[in-house]
Amino acid sequence: MTERLKAALFDLDGVVFDTEPQYTVFWGGECRRYHPDHPGLEHEIKGSTLTQIYDRWFSGPLAAEQPAITARLDAFEAQMKFDYIDGFEALIADLHANGVKTAVVTSSNQPKMESVYRAQPGFRCLFDAILTSEDFEYSKPHPDCYLKAAARFGVAPGECIVFEDSFNGLKSGRAAGMKVVGVATTNSREAIAPLSDIQLSDYTATDYQQLIDLL
């Protein structure tokens, strides 16, 4: 091992929280409302930011609908359940015990994070930094967000491990020059394997020792 693990960087939805099935319900309703001729669209847009979804599927004549969709999304997120993926809190404790910094690196915005903080009052105590969409110039799959997280801690990309579930997120971690753990909550292990160094279903069998072996 030439470099030491100094930072573990986590996406939020589908990586920290098991929220993706809930978003599938929300976007399923919106897609059926506006794109009834495109069944299953809610699965195609998984892992995209809201801006990317709007630009691709709700622009042009549908651009005027964006404020209404955003209002419905904000209301939906305000009542969402934010349950940790199995083993996550134990992994965070193990990382901290071994001197590893932890950060959330998410495309979610501050209003969404306020919903998270209300649902999980201890959430912020689990992380040394929380970076949201307001902190980034470019969205995933651009590496900007993960490079900014490494800079926040003053560590090199080779000293970081990224945890991601979406294709855009996995590509972002790879583009940043970091080792990538694929979490198979949104896509299958087989689908994310080409973009990740190891694949997990949850964190129940994951610890600091397993992660430093990746470096």
Side-chain angles (χ1 to χ4, degrees), residues 100-120:
V100 178
K101 297 288 189 180
T102 59
V104 165
V105 183
T106 177
S107 299
S108 299
N109 58 21
Q110 283 298 332
K112 156 73 173 292
M113 297 310 297
E114 291 302 323
S115 296
V116 170
Y117 302 148
R118 286 193 298 271
Q120 291 285 3

Side-chain angles (χ1 to χ4, degrees), residues 1 24 34 49 54 72 101 105 112 121 133 161 171 182 185 188 207 210:
M1 185 177 68
T24 299
Y34 295 107
T49 66
Y54 281 167
R72 287 192 291 271
K101 297 288 189 180
V105 183
K112 156 73 173 292
S133 62
I161 287 181
K171 291 175 182 177
T185 52
S188 69
D207 59 15
Q210 179 189 27

